[in-house]
Amino acid sequence: MKAATVIPESTPDPREKPGKPTRSRKRFWRTFKNQKYLYFMSIPFVIWVFVFSYLPLWGWTMAFQKYKPARSFFEQEWVGFDHFKTLFHDDQFLLSLRNTLAMSSMGLIAGFIFPIMFAILLNEVRLGFFKRFAQTISYLPHFVSWVVAAGIVTKMLSTDNGLVNDLLMGLGVIHQPIQFMAQGHLFWGIVTLSDVWKETGWNAIIYLAAIAGIGPELYEAARVDGASRLRQMWHITLPGIRPTIIVLLIMSVGNLLNIGFEKQFLLGNNLVTDYSQVLDLYSLKYGLGMARYSFGTAINIFNSVISVALLFTINGIFKRTTKESLL
Amino acid sequence: MGKTAFVHGKSWSDRMFDALVYIIVLFVVVITVYPFLNVLAISLNDSIDSVRGGITIFPRHFTWDNYIKIFTFSGLITGFKISALRTVIGTLLGLISASMLAFTISREDFQGRKFVSTFLALTMYVSGGLIPTYILMKDLGLMNTFAVYILPGVVSAFNVFVIRSFIDGIPYALQESAKLDGANDFTIYWRVILPLTKPALATISLFLAVGQWNAWFDTYLYNGSRESLTTLQYELMKVLQSTTAGSGGDYRTNLVSSAVNQVSPESIKMAITIIVTVPILLVYPFLQKYFVKGMTLGAVKS
């Protein structure tokens, strides 16, 4: 039935002469007129997106030029992959790549474990009032800026009257305050834990919603079988939110290199640069800061290309194993 | 829980389990709020007394002096105005763009639907990066302007998709009956869709407002040398970074040096931190039921 109605439409009308608008084109303009308000409401923003999100991609050409701001595009000198060659031979680049990967993997792992644990524990809280209270409090750090969060972390870890040092000294673990912010090898951990402090409550929202979707009859049955609360947590709650975990995991692997630089910028200082410098900060300092725009752009391109490649790889693996696509 | 009739009393291990759950959750609550209360206490404490240390969550010598002092800094007054202005304008424009785009791509009959949604979705995965964006802003003449706070962030694909998945839940019949009454698509958007998407709009306004209020890097990057365009977060950043040996480099530190002589910078820092944080504290708990819903919807759909 369906095929029969489709065929006459797809065969070209012999009466139509070439050059004249075809029927489908006519239909397009007729619908265009009917939907003019939909176009009015979307086209301006599409142009907007083009300017602010797509035009910067045009700027990628800079990486293959010896870009001089005063010259027009056609007057630029083209240098091929020279900037990339310089980049890959730069020790600072390898250092930044290491730091980026280290902090993003640590953030990825901690950013999964803590919210999941928190959501599961919160789900076990039976006192409705306390549960709501704890939840509201847990969102708080998500809404403050990294400027504030970094200030608070620095304050808590400071050597004069910082909470952590005071506590450790009070417990007799240490006798001298530790200069947390001045030690490179502690930096990755500090960044990761700051992130945990800031985002755990917020990221738990999705898991809590997923847990709420698990059928109560499963718990009922487990109780009848005499399963303890701990066993219910392990055998019902965790498997129940597994699909959510997998989807979120894949999405964040795609963003592995896009960890941003706010934390590193605000928590870092001259003493820990070897551990705090991530790719974006590297391009900020050695690209923008030294007016080496082309070189800095090469760093940005490297970052973007790897991210997209990672995303597609992960999505491919995901597609093959679950027959579903995220993109 | 009324369904526990067949369990006569809680077992010992379940009771232990309960206790442990409460202890851990309470611990999380404490480490989340304690730093804020500590900062608040120091900001309300006499600045010279604070140097002695040992202040927990209650001020020892209560005073408003630190707050009175920071409001004599011109940078903070300007910063407050600019931050408030960009939050209001940025949120309004962001709401209009996100809701309009969401409405158009939710319409299955819209011819441009596929193009518009793909065009938007791609921006979530590929970005030009720091320097190409910087050069673009420069070429567009947006350096040292207020517009640089607003224009780049007007359209956010994520927000569009959150609202769109909300609109998908509204029966299409409502739009059809409005059409029969002679409403055009804009009227449908304005009179039918907008009122019904209020929960999603509340979520998005919170995201937009918080994003605008908390932004500091655009000030640093584009308007760092323009004192009349400074933002509150940027001023706080300068004050906080001034004593921690600085990681970024070239900020003007005149604001701090003038303060250092009279008041211990610690108290000043804490007072500014509170000023910057309070507006958010006043808003987010009331929007909680909306953003929890909005987050969940957005995640499930995308």
Side-chain angles (χ1 to χ4, degrees), chain B residues 213-262:
Chain B
W213 183 258
N214 282 346
W216 60 277
F217 190 70
D218 45 13
T219 316
Y220 170 78
L221 203 56
Y222 306 119
N223 292 344
S225 54
R226 204 38 98 77
E227 290 196 33
S228 59
L229 289 173
T230 192
T231 51
L232 209 47
Q233 300 285 345
Y234 182 61
E235 290 299 319
L236 175 65
M237 191 276 270
K238 284 194 296 184
V239 175
L240 290 178
Q241 296 271 315
S242 61
T243 43
T244 58
S247 54
D250 60 321
Y251 345 100
R252 298 148 300 127
T253 44
N254 48 16
L255 188 132
V256 191
S257 48
S258 65
V260 169
N261 305 331
Q262 305 129 16

Side-chain angles (χ1 to χ4, degrees), chain A residues 3-13 23-24 27:
Chain A
T5 54
V6 167
I7 290 163
E9 276 194 14
S10 58
T11 41
D13 194 333
R23 201 187 274 180
S24 73
R27 198 169 53 217

Side-chain angles (χ1 to χ4, degrees), chain A residues 9-306:
Chain A
E9 276 194 14
S10 58
T11 41
D13 194 333
R15 282 165 302 178
E16 261 173 20
K17 290 186 182 112
K20 275 202 167 182
T22 60
R23 201 187 274 180
S24 73
R25 201 183 296 170
K26 254 189 214 152
R27 198 169 53 217
F28 175 85
W29 287 112
R30 202 167 45 234
T31 329
F32 181 86
K33 239 174 137 186
N34 284 335
Q35 302 183 335
K36 59 178 182 289
Y37 287 103
L38 293 178
Y39 279 100
F40 283 152
M41 281 189 275
S42 55
I43 295 297
F45 297 116
V46 168
I47 296 170
W48 208 295
V49 170
F50 175 76
V51 171
F52 287 102
S53 299
Y54 284 85
L55 272 188
L57 293 176
W58 173 252
W60 280 15
T61 51
M62 280 190 293
F64 307 97
Q65 302 165 338
K66 209 170 161 183
Y67 178 79
K68 295 252 169 66
R71 289 191 203 150
S72 83
F73 178 74
F74 299 101
E75 295 162 346
Q76 303 287 351
E77 187 186 327
W78 293 84
V79 295
F81 283 89
D82 278 6
H83 294 299
F84 288 92
K85 276 178 207 149
T86 324
L87 181 64
F88 295 140
H89 287 109
D90 188 359
D91 288 341
Q92 290 288 323
F93 166 72
L94 294 174
L95 200 69
S96 313
L97 184 59
R98 179 200 69 171
N99 293 338
T100 309
L101 286 173
M103 277 183 267
S104 51
S105 333
M106 285 168 75
L108 184 78
I109 294 164
F112 268 91
I113 295 174
F114 286 97
I116 291 171
M117 285 194 334
F118 184 60
I120 291 178
L121 284 175
L122 210 54
N123 183 54
E124 297 293 333
V125 172
R126 295 283 179 254
L127 275 172
F129 156 75
F130 182 65
K131 188 175 172 182
R132 274 194 302 277
F133 170 74
Q135 228 174 329
T136 308
I137 293 290
S138 74
Y139 302 145
L140 167 60
H142 170 78
F143 291 108
V144 305
S145 65
W146 264 112
V147 176
V148 169
I152 286 177
V153 169
T154 313
K155 168 79 189 127
M156 293 301 129
L157 294 177
S158 90
T159 44
D160 42 54
N161 312 320
L163 172 72
V164 177
N165 271 319
D166 281 1
L167 260 179
L168 291 176
M169 301 250 281
L171 293 171
V173 182
I174 52 169
H175 301 290
Q176 284 287 332
I178 302 172
Q179 285 196 302
F180 288 102
M181 304 309 287
Q183 301 195 26
H185 64 275
L186 293 178
F187 189 78
W188 295 349
I190 290 173
V191 164
T192 308
L193 287 179
S194 314
D195 218 14
V196 166
W197 178 74
K198 198 170 180 299
E199 304 297 337
T200 294
W202 180 254
N203 291 333
I205 291 180
I206 291 173
Y207 298 113
L208 276 167
I211 292 173
I214 300 172
E217 67 278 359
L218 290 174
Y219 292 101
E220 206 73 38
R223 261 200 298 275
V224 173
D225 290 345
S228 70
R229 297 268 295 280
L230 197 65
R231 291 187 72 101
Q232 292 175 30
M233 216 165 92
W234 187 256
H235 291 290
I236 299 172
T237 312
L238 257 185
I241 59 172
R242 222 183 60 157
T244 314
I245 297 177
I246 293 174
V247 170
L248 289 179
L249 191 67
I250 290 163
M251 278 165 52
S252 30
V253 170
N255 275 321
L256 203 57
L257 267 88
N258 293 330
I259 52 166
F261 51 89
E262 275 188 275
K263 296 167 260 198
Q264 289 79 6
F265 186 107
L266 295 164
L267 286 168
N269 55 61
N270 292 334
L271 300 167
V272 296
T273 323
D274 281 355
Y275 293 87
S276 68
Q277 184 170 286
V278 287
L279 284 170
D280 271 328
L281 284 184
Y282 175 53
S283 85
L284 186 68
K285 195 168 162 190
Y286 291 87
L288 206 56
M290 299 181 175
R292 291 162 74 198
Y293 300 117
S294 296
F295 182 67
T297 306
I299 304 170
N300 294 151
I301 293 179
F302 175 82
N303 205 333
S304 284
V305 168
I306 298 286

